[in-house]
Amino acid sequence: MNDLANKRIILGLSGGIACYKAAELCRAMVKEGATVQVVMTEAAAQFITPVTMQALSGQAVYSSQWDAREPNNMAHINLSREADALLVAPASADFMAKLIHGRADELLSLMCLARPIERVPLLLAPAMNREMWSHPATQRNILQLRADGAHVLGVGQGEQACGETGDGRMLEPEEILQDVVAYFKPQSLRGRRVWVTAGPTFEAIDPVRGITNLSSGKMGFAIARAAREAGADVTLVAGPVSLTTPRGVHRINVRSALDMHQAVQPALTQADVFVATAAVADWRVAQMAEQKIKKDGSGQVPSLAFTENPDILAGVAASERARSGALFCVGFAAESHDLLRHAHEKRQRKGVPLLVGNIGPATFGQDDNALLLVDAQGHMELPRADKLSLARQLMVQIAQRLR
Ligand code: CTP
């Protein structure tokens, strides 16, 4: 996919050890189709060379307002007029302190000040030591930057180059990339609270064994990401999968169907949209053995009794808010044949306004899929594509159906 096709992004680097991550970020944005123009401060060039950044961006790097390559000698005007966004990553504490005063004594801060503020957004990915980050001066500066219209992306948490541990690391390149991509997406779900279930469930037989299924969780994770990109506040209730949580999504990990059922209860009062993609086990073992079931040498196989799990989606769809239309429920159906007929039947049985059908064996674990959307009016197909593209199309369809 080329999520940043036709986008011109100025990637500004101020001084900080996180400059090494800017190399990867630059490469990732180029890979998504963006034209990246790198601008570096003198301090940034202490951490990474302009040669590296030029090679990765495929464009000569600018670092001085006196750069004679520009015929009018006004790089700050020329470059900022062409840009779709100005992203400073890393944004050092000192650089942000400069910005709040509107100082412009080198090219990057000059561009931040000179950019057409209504048309060229300023995104900042701060990076600094934890004490510098939590200092009242920095926190005050961030509030001021936000008030002045900048998008401060937040920071990561963990081990720092200085050997300390805490808040202030620059976000990972992939996280920043997701934020930049999201920035350009239409905000059709802004202010909506979306809950998504994803992945398989695991029903324990004994402490070391259980019953599960082949759901990878990829579709549900793509939906959580697409909903967040569209501006929603997203909670993802995930069965046992090792996928990375999409940026900005609140994740609740569960194991069994009963855990998942319990975890989604707040959605009944809090959510505006509930999307059930999880492949929930229909049955669980009636009585989990406390200890590992051992072979006793007799050749006798153990027999398992099952009990039915709650239908999570049907339960949510039967709630008062769902029936009044305040909570919009979307079900998924993985079928092996007669998709259209089964999808219509399942939509009615589950009591949901929208049901998304797909062919189970053709989607489990795959990176792409094809969807069939079924509602009271009829059906429409979303042809085979990668799961993130389909998830984005599905969000458009959901947004259109919200009151
Ligand atoms: N679902 C759920 N809780 C369950 C079972 C299913 O929330 N205990 C949800 C799934 O997340 C999906 C939809 O219901 O959105 C359809 O699930 P599926 O298992 O295909 O439907 P069933 O009613 O079990 O129908 P069948 O197994 O007969 O195809």
Side-chain angles (χ1 to χ4, degrees):
M1 268 194 309
N2 279 326
D3 279 333
L4 296 175
N6 305 319
K7 296 286 183 252
R8 295 186 63 89
I9 295 172
I10 297 175
L11 174 59
L13 278 66
S14 60
I17 185 60
C19 279
Y20 82 92
K21 292 189 192 172
E24 180 117 21
L25 173 62
C26 176
R27 195 180 154 82
M29 292 197 296
V30 169
K31 219 169 139 194
E32 287 299 336
T35 302
V36 179
Q37 173 61 62
V38 176
V39 177
M40 295 171 70
T41 65
E42 215 180 295
Q46 296 289 327
F47 292 93
I48 189 167
T49 70
V51 175
T52 302
M53 298 310 293
Q54 175 171 355
L56 293 173
S57 65
Q59 315 272 348
V61 170
Y62 281 79
S63 48
S64 163
Q65 68 268 44
W66 313 121
D67 196 314
R69 276 174 295 180
E70 295 295 309
N72 61 356
N73 219 310
M74 293 189 193
H76 63 297
I77 302 291
N78 304 347
L79 298 179
S80 65
R81 296 303 180 269
E82 292 168 357
D84 292 300
L86 204 169
L87 165 65
V88 182
S92 68
D94 179 56
F95 188 76
M96 293 194 296
K98 269 170 70 170
L99 288 186
I100 66 154
H101 294 290
R103 292 193 47 197
D105 58 354
E106 43 70 44
L107 181 60
L108 187 56
S109 53
L110 181 58
M111 283 172 71
C112 292
L113 191 67
R115 78 187 205 281
I117 200 164
E118 299 298 332
R119 192 166 53 77
V120 183
L122 175 62
L123 286 76
L124 300 169
M128 67 201 71
N129 163 270
R130 67 189 174 108
E131 298 291 358
M132 294 166 74
W133 172 253
S134 62
H135 195 285
T138 302
Q139 292 304 314
R140 194 168 58 232
N141 291 347
I142 284 168
L143 287 179
Q144 188 57 54
L145 284 164
R146 288 196 167 128
D148 291 348
H151 301 269
V152 185
L153 303 184
V155 290
Q157 201 267 338
E159 261 179 55
Q160 303 201 302
C162 50
E164 298 180 359
T165 303
D167 288 342
R169 281 163 54 129
M170 190 169 85
L171 295 171
E172 295 307 314
E174 172 59 29
E175 295 176 305
I176 298 175
L177 178 69
Q178 283 194 29
D179 279 356
V180 173
V181 168
Y183 187 81
F184 291 112
K185 294 280 177 230
Q187 299 293 287
S188 58
L189 292 172
R190 184 185 289 278
R192 304 285 193 173
R193 293 156 304 174
V194 175
W195 281 61
V196 183
T197 67
T201 63
F202 180 91
E203 311 299 326
I205 295 172
D206 68 18
V208 297
R209 303 185 181 91
I211 298 171
T212 186
N213 60 66
L214 290 175
S215 167
S216 64
K218 286 178 183 171
M219 192 69 225
F221 276 60
I223 286 173
R225 175 173 169 178
R228 191 256 173 183
E229 281 177 359
D233 172 358
V234 184
T235 304
L236 174 63
V237 182
V241 291
S242 55
L243 297 174
T244 310
T245 311
R247 170 95 180 115
V249 165
H250 173 59
R251 175 174 180 172
I252 303 173
N253 283 324
V254 296
R255 201 157 87 128
S256 67
L258 286 181
D259 295 341
M260 188 175 277
H261 183 250
Q262 184 70 31
V264 305
Q265 292 313 303
L268 298 184
T269 50
Q270 294 170 13
D272 302 305
V273 178
F274 181 76
V275 187
T277 70
V280 184
D282 290 317
W283 305 281
R284 66 180 179 277
V285 177
Q287 192 64 52
M288 178 194 155
E290 291 294 330
Q291 294 179 340
K292 185 182 171 190
I293 302 170
K294 305 287 283 180
K295 290 194 292 284
D296 63 7
S298 68
Q300 194 89 45
V301 294
S303 68
L304 296 174
F306 290 93
T307 183
E308 196 166 322
N309 275 326
D311 189 319
I312 299 169
L313 173 62
V316 176
S319 70
E320 208 180 299
R321 287 180 66 246
R323 280 187 290 123
S324 73
L327 167 55
F328 188 84
C329 291
V330 183
F332 265 69
E335 306 292 344
S336 60
H337 60 286
D338 284 341
L339 184 56
L340 184 59
R341 181 167 61 81
H342 282 129
H344 271 297
E345 283 169 11
K346 199 165 280 182
R347 188 185 81 78
Q348 282 176 342
R349 194 164 72 243
K350 301 263 178 182
V352 295
L354 180 63
L355 192 117
V356 183
N358 55 176
I359 297 292
T363 172
F364 277 15
Q366 305 291 316
D367 289 326
D368 59 359
N369 196 4
L371 302 179
L372 182 72
L373 274 51
V374 171
D375 65 11
Q377 276 69 51
H379 68 272
M380 74 177 279
E381 282 175 41
L382 300 183
R384 185 157 282 278
D386 64 276
K387 288 182 175 176
L388 184 56
S389 301
L390 290 171
R392 287 171 177 156
Q393 294 176 61
L394 181 60
M395 290 311 109
V396 171
Q397 293 298 323
I398 291 174
Q400 284 171 2
R401 288 166 169 81
L402 297 182
R403 282 202 311 216

